[in-house]
Structures are given as structure tokens and as C-alpha cells.
């Protein structure tokens, strides 16, 4: 009986750790990615409206529009990624609890396998979000460099 209580204490520690990481990740990364993407989007739109008259002087419209779309896509993917991360962490906790409830002994290796499986999807979304954010910001920079250097 003592082993089962000890295993249950380990379970509580692990699930507490998962919840803490999940919540910190949700807050920290989400805020930074949103701040960069929305800031770049807002700043580029503001600069565009201040420097060009009604779009007549813009030569690289496709570049700026695709950059904006990339930033919006980054925001959406980031939201989806963190939503999945949040729900997947809850599913991992449920699976670990189910294993412990059936009387299996605590196994850090098994817990790590469960957590890694759930983190794989989130990692893919985070990489895609980072790529689209980078493309959006680089596209905006390229747009202004081309417009200033070539057409002013």
C-alpha cells in the first residue's frame, strides 16, 4: 500500500509539473509571438498609409500583401498550436492517471513517452508559426527596402 501512495505522490508531482509548464508556455510564447506578429502588421500598415497615397505609388503590392497574410497566418497557427498544447497536456494527465488507476507502478520512462507523443504536434505547429512569422517580417523589410531603394 505504501508503494501505491508513493506512486500516487509521484503522479501528483508529474501532473503538477505538466500543468505548470503548460500554463507558462501558454502565457510566455503566445504573448511574444502575438506581439511580434501584430506589431509588425500594425506598424507596416501604418507606415504604408503614411508613405504612399491610396496605393498608387506602391510597386510591390504582392510582396506586402503576402507578408501581411503570412503574419496573420502566423497568429492563427500560433493560437491553434497553443490550444492544442493546452488540450494535449490535459489528455496526457488523463492517460497518466488512467495508468496509475489501473495499478501500474510509476515509470518516468512511460510518462516521458506519453508527454513526448503529445508534444510532437505542438512542436510542428510552433515551427510553422515561427517560419510564417519570419517570412512575414522579412517580407515587410524587403518591401520597404525595395520601395525606398528602387523607387524613391
Amino acid at each position: 500500500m505504501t508503494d501505491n501512495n508513493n506512486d500516487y505522490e509521484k503522479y501528483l508531482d508529474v501532473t503538477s509539473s505538466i500543468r505548470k509548464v503548460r500554463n507558462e508556455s501558454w502565457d510566455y510564447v503566445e504573448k511574444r509571438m502575438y506581439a511580434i506578429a501584430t506589431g509588425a502588421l500594425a506598424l507596416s500598415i501604418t507606415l504604408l498609409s503614411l508613405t504612399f497615397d491610396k496605393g498608387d505609388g506602391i510597386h510591390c503590392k504582392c510582396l506586402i500583401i503576402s507578408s501581411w497574410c503570412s503574419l496573420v497566418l502566423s497568429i492563427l497557427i500560433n493560437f491553434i498550436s497553443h490550444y492544442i498544447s493546452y488540450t494535449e497536456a490535459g489528455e496526457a494527465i488523463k492517460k497518466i492517471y488512467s495508468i496509475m488507476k489501473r495499478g501500474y507502478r510509476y515509470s518516468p520512462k512511460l510518462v516521458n513517452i506519453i508527454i513526448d507523443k503529445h508534444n510532437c504536434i505542438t512542436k510542428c505547429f510552433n515551427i510553422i508559426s515561427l517560419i510564417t512569422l519570419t517570412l512575414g517580417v522579412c517580407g515587410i523589410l524587403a518591401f520597404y527596402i525595395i520601395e525606398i531603394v528602387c523607387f524613391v
Side-chain angles (χ1 to χ4, degrees):
M1 188 70 171
T2 307
D3 286 340
N4 201 17
N5 286 340
N6 193 18
D7 286 347
Y8 187 71
E9 291 296 322
K10 288 179 184 178
Y11 159 76
L12 290 177
D13 290 341
V14 169
T15 56
S16 174
S17 174
I18 293 170
R19 285 187 183 110
K20 181 179 177 186
V21 169
R22 175 182 67 181
N23 292 335
E24 287 175 2
S25 173
W26 182 265
D27 290 338
Y28 183 79
V29 177
E30 179 186 78
K31 287 178 185 177
R32 298 315 182 268
M33 294 288 284
Y34 285 141
I36 293 169
T38 56
L41 191 59
L43 184 61
S44 66
I45 291 170
T46 303
L47 285 174
L48 190 66
S49 68
L50 293 174
T51 54
F52 297 102
D53 263 347
K54 298 180 184 176
D56 295 336
I58 301 174
H59 297 90
C60 302
K61 292 177 185 175
C62 289
L63 182 59
I64 193 69
I65 291 171
S66 63
S67 297
W68 288 341
C69 290
S70 183
L71 290 172
V72 169
L73 186 62
S74 175
I75 293 168
L76 293 174
I77 291 171
N78 192 7
F79 176 74
I80 292 167
S81 168
H82 290 289
Y83 176 76
I84 289 172
S85 172
Y86 190 79
T87 56
E88 289 291 319
E91 290 298 317
I93 290 169
K94 286 178 186 176
K95 283 184 181 178
I96 294 168
Y97 176 74
S98 173
I99 290 169
M100 296 297 294
K101 192 175 176 181
R102 285 185 259 155
Y104 290 102
R105 294 202 53 151
Y106 172 80
S107 167
K109 186 176 180 179
L110 180 62
V111 170
N112 287 335
I113 289 170
I114 292 170
I115 292 171
D116 288 343
K117 180 182 174 193
H118 288 283
N119 285 338
C120 183
I121 297 169
T122 304
K123 287 178 187 177
C124 291
F125 274 106
N126 287 340
I127 290 169
I128 293 168
S129 180
L130 183 60
I131 290 169
T132 56
L133 175 66
T134 304
L135 289 174
V137 170
C138 289
I140 289 170
L141 290 174
F143 169 77
Y144 281 106
I145 289 170
I146 290 169
E147 289 292 329
I148 291 170
V149 171
C150 298
F151 300 109
V152 172

